[in-house]
Amino acid sequence: MAVANSTTEQAILSEVHRLDRNRRALRMWLGFVLLALVSLVLVGGATRLTNSGLSITEWKPIHGIVPPLTAAEWEEEFKLYQRIPEFQQLNSDMTVEDFKTIFWWEWAHRLIARGIGVIFALPLAYFWVAGMVERHLRWPLIGILALGGLQGFIGWWMVSSGLSVRTDVSQYRLATHLVMACLIFAACMWIMRGLSPHSDDAAPTVSSRTWAAIIAALSLFQIYLGALVAGLDAGFTYNTWPLMDGAIIPSDLLIQQPAWINFFENPKTVQFIHRAGAYALFALALINMVIALRAAPQTTHARRAVVLFALVALQAAIGIATLLLQVPLHWGLLHQAGALVVLGFAVANWRAFYGEFPRDTIVAERD
């Protein structure tokens, strides 16, 4: 009987160690995917800030990997760009050499997007065949892969909005594209955090999980508002703080009719709502930190609340500096990177209140 019990315990320990190794490998893989997603969003932001997003006017998911290699190919690509309103109305004096600068930004953005598809799909296939993906994670990971494919279509849908009538892409489609990227980012973070060891500390209050969810949701909503600001070039106007157009609440916020359209198409209104969202996020993070420190000052939850507030405060400061400096490229990208850091940490903080994913262990019955 003792020998049988010892054998069973060794089998259980071996299974636990195997699951630990598998989860560590999956965490490393998802962490790499997260870094790649950050680079994708930042290059996308640079593409927007350098007005490079319409430089490639055709969708070639496979053939488009190869850039122009000869002078004739560059001329052919440039002629395609010359057909669209952005060139005809804004860049008619552009040369081939000038065109190359904006082309490379958009090409790099698309190349990274394709690369992320590879570094997600191929390791997932390997982990799946090797039996390293637990059953309850299979559909969520397949779902993320499907969202990645949909995101490629959304990206072209966005670009196509600026190829015939407009001289830029639709802010609605730009916001959809960025939010989808952030949802993929958040989903990867959620799963990676669920595969990580968790503290046994109890939540500071019964509403702590709800607070965490609200902060994560508002972080994502702020990114959506930021995309509308970028799509309307609203960050290049009203570059003062704390006043905006000389007032805390500027006039003419609802000047367009119907009134609701101001929240999506009026640059002043969109920038004001983005500012208001930042104030709300700052206040929620501060309140969340104070409650956590008062209710459970020595817990990991309280320490995370402090870090989360610090990240939100730093991001607010970067946003103000970016506005006052009239959105130079490096500050704009820093602000975008800060938004992803806040979102990622907010999602990880929210996920922490659910504990580690249940383990698919096989436990033999004792005789």
Side-chain angles (χ1 to χ4, degrees), residues 50 53 79 266 281 305:
T50 57
K79 286 180 181 178
N266 184 339
L281 182 58

Side-chain angles (χ1 to χ4, degrees), residues 37-78:
L37 286 168
V38 170
S39 70
L40 177 65
V41 172
L42 292 183
V43 172
T47 300
R48 175 64 191 174
L49 288 171
T50 57
N51 297 312
S52 305
L54 297 177
S55 58
I56 301 178
T57 61
E58 295 181 337
W59 191 30
K60 301 176 180 177
I62 304 301
H63 179 65
I65 295 174
V66 182
L69 300 176
T70 66
E73 290 176 347
W74 277 112
E75 284 291 346
E76 180 183 354
E77 196 73 43
F78 186 41

Side-chain angles (χ1 to χ4, degrees), residues 58-298:
E58 295 181 337
W59 191 30
K60 301 176 180 177
I62 304 301
H63 179 65
I65 295 174
V66 182
L69 300 176
T70 66
E73 290 176 347
W74 277 112
E75 284 291 346
E76 180 183 354
E77 196 73 43
F78 186 41
K79 286 180 181 178
L80 293 174
Y81 177 66
Q82 289 175 315
R83 297 176 183 176
I84 68 172
E86 181 180 81
F87 172 83
Q88 296 167 358
Q89 298 179 33
L90 302 178
N91 295 330
S92 58
D93 59 343
M94 179 177 283
T95 65
V96 174
E97 291 303 314
D98 296 330
F99 171 71
K100 289 180 181 180
T101 300
I102 64 173
F103 176 91
W104 284 121
W105 275 118
E106 177 63 9
W107 181 83
H109 183 55
R110 297 190 187 195
L111 181 66
I112 295 172
R114 293 181 177 103
I116 290 176
V118 172
I119 66 174
F120 192 92
L122 292 186
L124 175 59
Y126 169 78
F127 292 139
W128 194 301
V129 171
M132 299 171 66
V133 181
E134 297 166 42
R135 289 187 298 272
H136 59 92
L137 293 178
R138 292 175 182 175
W139 280 113
L141 290 171
I142 288 295
I144 293 174
L145 183 62
L147 288 178
L150 177 61
Q151 174 71 332
F153 172 78
I154 291 173
W156 174 247
W157 176 64
M158 175 191 69
V159 170
S160 65
S161 67
L163 298 180
S164 57
V165 178
R166 301 171 58 103
T167 59
D168 57 3
V169 300
S170 162
Q171 73 272 24
Y172 298 103
R173 299 188 187 188
L174 174 65
T176 302
H177 189 49
L178 181 57
V179 168
M180 178 61 74
C182 290
L183 286 174
I184 294 171
F185 177 84
C188 290
M189 178 64 75
W190 183 274
I191 293 177
M192 188 181 77
R193 186 68 183 94
L195 291 169
S196 304
H198 281 64
S199 166
D200 293 330
D201 292 342
T205 70
V206 294
S207 60
S208 293
R209 182 189 295 182
T210 302
W211 275 101
I214 292 173
I215 291 173
L218 186 54
S219 299
L220 180 61
F221 184 62
Q222 268 297 96
I223 292 175
Y224 168 75
L225 293 174
L228 292 180
V229 169
L232 294 169
D233 291 327
F236 295 99
T237 59
Y238 308 108
N239 299 101
T240 59
W241 187 86
L243 300 182
M244 179 178 176
D245 198 20
I248 295 294
I249 301 178
S251 60
D252 298 332
L253 292 178
L254 301 178
I255 194 171
Q256 298 182 20
Q257 296 298 324
W260 64 266
I261 208 167
N262 289 276
F263 296 94
F264 303 97
E265 299 188 7
N266 184 339
K268 176 185 278 190
T269 308
V270 169
Q271 190 195 123
F272 176 74
I273 297 300
H274 189 49
R275 291 189 185 205
Y279 300 147
L281 182 58
F282 181 89
L284 285 175
L286 176 61
I287 294 170
N288 177 67
M289 179 185 69
V290 171
I291 291 174
L293 287 174
R294 287 182 174 178
Q298 302 302 320

Side-chain angles (χ1 to χ4, degrees), residues 280-341:
L281 182 58
F282 181 89
L284 285 175
L286 176 61
I287 294 170
N288 177 67
M289 179 185 69
V290 171
I291 291 174
L293 287 174
R294 287 182 174 178
Q298 302 302 320
T299 63
T300 56
H301 299 296
R303 288 190 287 272
R304 278 200 311 273
V306 173
V307 174
L308 180 57
F309 172 71
L311 291 174
V312 170
L314 178 60
Q315 171 67 351
I318 293 172
I320 293 168
T322 303
L323 179 72
L324 295 178
L325 294 171
Q326 299 184 29
V327 200
L329 177 62
H330 292 91
W331 277 93
L333 296 181
L334 181 62
H335 188 46
Q336 196 159 10
L340 286 176
V341 171

